[in-house]
Amino acid sequence: MFSTSALVAGVAILVVLAAVAIFLVAESLPAFLANPADISSDGSGFWGLVGPLVFGTIWAAALALLISLPLSIGIALFISHIAPRKLAQGLGYIIDLLAAVPSVVFGLWGITVLAPAVQPFFVWLVDNLGWIPFFAGPVSGTGRTVLTVAIVLAVMILPIITAIAREVFLQTPRLHEEAALALGATRWEMIQMAVLPFGRPGLISATMLGLGRALGETMAVAMVLSPSVIISFALLQSQNPTTIAANIALNFPEASGIGVNVLIGTGLLLFIITLIVNSIARVAINRRKAFSGAN
Amino acid sequence: MSKRIEINDLNVYYSNFLAVEGVSLTIEPRTVTAFIGPSGCGKSTLLRTINRMHEVIPGARVEGEVLIDGQDLYGPGIDPVVVRRQVGMVFQRPNPFPTMSIRDNVIAGVKLNNRKMSKSDADNLVEQSLQGANLWNEVKDRLDKPGSGLSGGQQQRLCIARAIAVSPDVLLMDEPCSALDPISTLAIEDLIGELKNEFTIVIVTHNMQQASRVSDRTAFFNISGTGEPGKLIEFDDTTTIFENPHVQSTEDYISGRFG
Ligand SMILES: Nc1ncnc2c1ncn2[C@@H]1O[C@H](COP(=O)(O)OP(=O)(O)O)[C@@H](O)[C@H]1O
Ligand SMILES: [Mg+2]
């Protein structure tokens, strides 16, 4: 009875997944095969349009992860191993609450609060560190740049990564923590010796979940950025690459004919990017399985 | 090196619960001292106060003194981290770091003090410590394999190698054989006999034969009931404790009449 329903559920998931994949491929094929001139007026074709989107998607998500990961690990460690129990509980609760905030709200916050607040700081960065390509001018007057988006995304994925990291850190066997302490490790050294290595596979999974959300996030990006079709590493200028998901959301309502196929094609690419990211994570976890402590 | 341990009128509390009361005893260098007694009488608790590991448990605290070569472990300005580098510990269940290779396990503690150890120094120390723990011949061909792949007895000897690699003065062992098969247990007992040439050893054991086989001195602890504090009942040469104890409850315990 149970095994039958498990089988049915498993098959159902596979069928749905296959249906989605077939839909994506079938609907995007026309875009791949179409005459470049039909897709964009400048004749650069599907890849000329989609290249910057793929770049923008990965770039924004990577920046968000770069900001979020150290913070999340720090907060999770603070909650699991440093803060007194009362404080840890309170903090954990706040983080969980943050996870429940809808992305539209983050988008609004990004436009109305964050962008104006960081704009003077961006000006300072361009004036003082403008020689670093990332901070090259001219600075955006609104503060609504890819860096602002990355910060919004970072705040959005922070609760997921933190919550999982905290659970993972709490699972560190007491035995191994005591082993480190008994060797004369300070608390921080104990964390390095026992907690972080033990939590590594879980941390990778947490990171991938966060990254997956950042890659696919639509609303916050669409609201904050006024998109351009460019590939640029500059963080503070008014011309910014946008992401696949935000681009679909912004353009789908008015799209028609081959335009729809192009958008679906970008969706297929997003699907593939996410798949690749997850496979990399799996490889990273499996590579050191013997040292994972899972036996 | 090997040092004398002097415990003076020690009380140990878990928050408000007095777990061990009024223990005084002196442990000479280069001896093996066994702590025996029924479970719950505070053997582990007392053992952990000798390297301040009890402080890992919130609310645990001591009153009284523990001196190592005259220096009070609980004196002002003494860092528990430094204490634990001088007083090593082996636990009931083998606990090599699962994320580290055998080699890295052995030098884990040393690396805390000396991060930039040369490879040859590290190799020497790994070999010497594993030799010291009678494990070298069994693992020398797989030093880069995870420590968790060894048998329980080998893992426990790996933990001993890890503890002696930092050259402590004292080695504490809390029922180190209770999770092991008889053959592994014998291997560890032999090892303890060799280690006492270099270290002061204190071992908690629930196994009376083991206490009589490995120890020079034996301390018998008891509790008068649950919720009561554990107390030191008798402390003497192991032969005296087992053949000619002075206290009735010691005799009752070692002859298996209770506990
Ligand atoms: N972490 C702890 N918190 C509170 N009480 C404890 C803790 N560990 C041990 N105790 C109590 O202290 C007493 C002595 O325990 P323990 O030292 O483990 O005894 P033994 O090792 O002789 O079996 C017991 O009554 C036990 O319940
Ligand atoms: Mg015990």
Side-chain angles (χ1 to χ4, degrees):
Chain A
M1 176 58 206
F2 175 77
S3 65
T4 322
S5 52
L7 185 70
V8 169
V11 170
I13 289 170
L14 282 180
V15 168
V16 169
L17 206 71
V20 170
I22 290 169
F23 160 79
L24 283 176
V25 172
E27 288 293 310
S28 29
L29 264 181
F32 291 117
L33 303 173
N35 182 352
D38 294 341
I39 289 178
S40 59
S41 43
D42 64 3
S44 57
F46 181 74
W47 294 108
L49 191 75
V50 166
L53 286 177
V54 171
F55 167 79
T57 303
I58 296 175
W59 180 230
L63 286 173
L65 200 61
L66 203 69
I67 300 170
S68 187
L69 192 59
L71 271 176
S72 301
I73 294 179
I75 297 172
L77 279 177
F78 183 74
I79 293 177
S80 67
H81 282 84
I82 295 167
R85 181 167 303 175
K86 281 263 164 57
L87 182 60
Q89 270 173 355
L91 260 174
Y93 188 67
I94 291 174
I95 297 285
D96 288 345
L97 218 63
L98 210 55
V101 176
S103 59
V104 186
V105 175
F106 278 112
L108 284 173
W109 171 74
I111 298 178
T112 57
V113 180
L114 185 65
V118 293
Q119 203 274 338
F121 179 64
F122 286 1
V123 172
W124 183 90
L125 274 177
V126 169
D127 288 348
N128 293 281
L129 297 171
W131 50 272
I132 302 174
F134 294 125
F135 302 139
V139 69
S140 151
T142 57
R144 288 159 68 172
T145 76
V146 68
L147 183 57
T148 315
V149 165
I151 297 173
V152 174
L153 288 177
V155 175
M156 289 179 64
I157 63 179
L158 184 112
I160 316 174
I161 304 183
T162 306
I164 300 176
R166 175 190 60 190
E167 285 312 306
V168 169
F169 293 154
L170 283 173
Q171 311 249 313
T172 315
R174 173 130 202 128
L175 220 56
H176 299 135
E177 296 183 3
E178 292 199 339
L181 292 171
L183 285 172
T186 61
R187 178 148 52 180
W188 175 235
E189 288 167 337
M190 180 274 281
I191 287 172
Q192 287 175 299
M193 274 170 111
V195 180
L196 290 179
F198 184 84
R200 187 176 165 279
L203 270 187
I204 294 178
S205 307
T207 306
M208 288 313 130
L209 270 177
L211 193 57
R213 177 148 190 219
L215 285 169
E217 174 51 33
T218 308
M219 280 319 292
V221 182
M223 289 166 79
V224 174
L225 273 190
S226 43
S228 319
V229 183
I230 59 165
I231 295 182
S232 159
F233 287 99
L235 298 174
L236 310 174
Q237 299 176 0
S238 51
Q239 291 229 311
N240 294 281
T242 189
T243 70
I244 292 175
N247 183 62
I248 294 176
L250 283 178
N251 292 324
F252 203 82
E254 286 116 67
S256 62
I258 192 82
V260 174
N261 301 113
V262 170
L263 288 179
I264 293 177
T266 62
L268 176 65
L269 284 179
L270 181 57
F271 185 66
I272 293 171
I273 292 172
T274 313
L275 222 62
I276 291 174
V277 162
N278 280 319
S279 323
I280 293 174
R282 203 139 291 285
V283 170
I285 291 172
N286 281 337
R287 207 161 45 91
R288 284 183 58 86
K289 199 163 210 140
F291 287 91
S292 71
N295 47 355
Chain B
M1 253 191 300
S2 178
K3 291 191 172 170
R4 166 198 302 236
I5 307 166
E6 224 179 304
I7 298 175
N8 289 330
D9 205 13
L10 196 77
N11 297 331
V12 193
Y13 294 86
Y14 291 106
S15 299
N16 294 322
F17 172 58
L18 178 59
V20 174
E21 184 178 19
V23 171
S24 297
L25 52 81
T26 301
I27 295 169
E28 296 299 331
R30 294 197 174 77
T31 58
V32 178
T33 299
F35 287 180
I36 62 170
S39 80
C41 69
K43 306 178 295 292
S44 302
T45 301
L46 180 64
L47 192 76
R48 290 166 75 102
T49 63
I50 304 176
N51 70 347
R52 297 183 64 166
M53 273 303 283
H54 69 287
E55 291 174 12
V56 170
I57 297 156
R61 62 196 163 85
V62 300
E63 293 168 356
E65 287 182 325
V66 179
L67 310 177
I68 292 200
D69 267 10
Q71 191 183 39
D72 188 0
L73 297 188
Y74 294 94
I78 303 276
D79 185 349
V81 165
V82 175
V83 170
R84 292 176 199 147
R85 290 182 187 183
Q86 291 160 3
V87 184
M89 186 154 204
V90 176
F91 295 80
Q92 192 164 351
R93 278 187 43 215
N95 57 357
F97 297 114
T99 53
M100 291 185 196
S101 66
I102 293 172
R103 182 177 191 278
D104 288 344
N105 261 289
V106 175
I107 52 177
V110 188
K111 272 197 165 161
L112 293 173
N113 289 319
N114 179 4
R115 281 183 187 275
K116 289 189 284 291
M117 198 174 13
S118 77
K119 178 158 187 321
S120 62
D121 283 356
D123 287 343
N124 286 338
L125 183 68
V126 168
E127 174 166 359
Q128 198 184 323
S129 308
L130 287 170
Q131 295 271 19
N134 288 347
L135 189 58
W136 174 249
N137 287 330
E138 291 156 66
V139 301
K140 63 172 185 254
D141 299 322
R142 46 171 168 159
L143 294 175
D144 291 323
K145 295 276 173 338
S148 47
L150 301 173
S151 77
Q154 289 173 324
Q155 287 190 25
Q156 195 61 299
R157 278 179 282 145
L158 178 57
C159 293
I160 293 174
R162 179 176 68 187
I164 62 179
V166 295
S167 335
D169 305 315
V170 177
L171 210 49
L172 308 176
M173 301 186 174
D174 191 350
E175 304 194 22
C177 304
S178 65
L180 306 183
D181 61 86
I183 296 196
S184 306
T185 299
L186 278 181
I188 303 250
E189 288 180 5
D190 287 346
L191 178 58
I192 291 172
E194 294 169 26
L195 290 173
K196 81 169 183 182
N197 297 322
E198 273 186 79
F199 307 98
T200 309
I201 296 176
V202 186
I203 176 172
V204 172
T205 175
H206 61 243
N207 178 330
M208 234 82 63
Q209 286 80 36
Q210 181 167 70
S212 64
R213 277 194 300 259
V214 302
S215 72
D216 306 299
R217 307 265 290 169
T218 295
F220 171 63
F221 298 84
N222 205 353
I223 34 173
S224 46
T226 45
E228 296 295 315
K231 292 184 180 164
L232 176 61
I233 305 298
E234 191 169 356
F235 178 47
D236 215 322
D237 288 342
T238 297
T239 43
T240 311
I241 293 281
F242 281 93
E243 282 158 24
N244 192 13
H246 295 97
V247 182
Q248 185 60 42
S249 65
T250 313
E251 189 173 345
D252 291 346
Y253 183 73
I254 56 157
S255 59
R257 253 169 274 172
F258 77 92

